[in-house]
Amino acid sequence: MSAVLNLNRGNQHRQYTPTLAEHWDDLVGWEARLEREGHFYARLLKAHGCRKVVDVATGTGVNAVGLAQAGFEVTATDGSENMLAKAQENAAAYGVSFADSRVADWLTLDETLGTEQFDAIVCLGNSFTHLFDHEDRRQALRAFHRVLRPSGMLVIDQRNYDTMLDHGYRSKHEICYTGDGVDVGPVELTPRLAKFEYRFPNGAVFQLNMYPLRQDYLTHLLEDAGFINAERFGDLQRPYDRREVDFVQQVAFKT
Ligand code: SAM
């Protein structure tokens, strides 16, 4: 299998076809990733007294499952039915269940989830960079804000696009997408588009279009949507070297 799925920019969760959903777990490197990231997010959420958490970019469930295993009440949402179906399979395989699981677009998350309010929202694994339009980002963050209880926490994790744009791509492959034998990297990188290619050991090749969100711009968007006290971690640590880290985690709170 070597057909490249070359995908459009509109409605980015449509990029996650059933075939890509099937391959995603090989890219994620579940065990290593849960071992490294799971504890970080669980500690962060516990430190802020969070219990009810929505993973709004559940994908095939690596973080949603990890948080459920750590005792959180997890609502799993994603814009892609294909990815969410795989997440439910994975949750069952790991012996956990989600408090709720819904197909939900970020732009209308509050409409899908109704009036229930949550202690925290996580949007991990370089997901928020799937939005290409400034107004869509503002709308999504305002929807996230409405879903949180007062003082609720939002966590967004994404690639360090600043370094990629300013100094070129390189990766330690230690955080996030660490699957064995999967070759990941940008095939196109401009200030408006990061087209990533994923080459799997079985010959399958996929491409995903992302928007290279800079760190300061994301902080500005968070503040614009009403979040305060934004803090950053780099590769799950603080302080961090802005140029050296592969992934950046931003944490902010509802006013
Ligand atoms: N967090 C998972 C992980 O780390 O493995 C999945 C990450 S994957 C890069 C991005 C996920 O975001 C996909 O499952 C995709 O369907 C979802 N997504 C992209 N745009 C979305 C949107 N507008 N609303 C809801 N989900 C969206």
Side-chain angles (χ1 to χ4, degrees), residues 193-248:
L193 174 67
K195 186 194 286 283
F196 269 78
E197 189 168 270
Y198 306 81
R199 293 183 167 270
F200 290 81
N202 69 355
V205 182
F206 299 92
Q207 290 184 345
L208 289 177
N209 290 331
M210 325 265 184
Y211 182 90
L213 269 183
R214 284 186 178 273
Q215 296 170 44
D216 292 347
Y217 171 55
L218 179 57
T219 305
H220 166 79
L221 284 171
L222 289 168
E223 289 168 354
D224 174 63
F227 289 93
I228 55 167
N229 296 340
E231 300 169 4
R232 296 180 201 174
F233 297 77
D235 287 348
L236 315 177
Q237 307 214 349
R238 206 172 46 171
Y240 69 97
D241 184 326
R242 266 182 88 119
R243 181 166 166 170
E244 291 304 317
V245 295
D246 286 345
F247 281 80
V248 176

Side-chain angles (χ1 to χ4, degrees), residues 130-139 211 217 221:
H130 284 61
L131 293 179
F132 275 83
D133 184 81
H134 175 73
E135 288 308 319
D136 284 352
R137 287 177 210 119
R138 295 184 69 218
Q139 187 178 331
Y211 182 90
Y217 171 55
L221 284 171

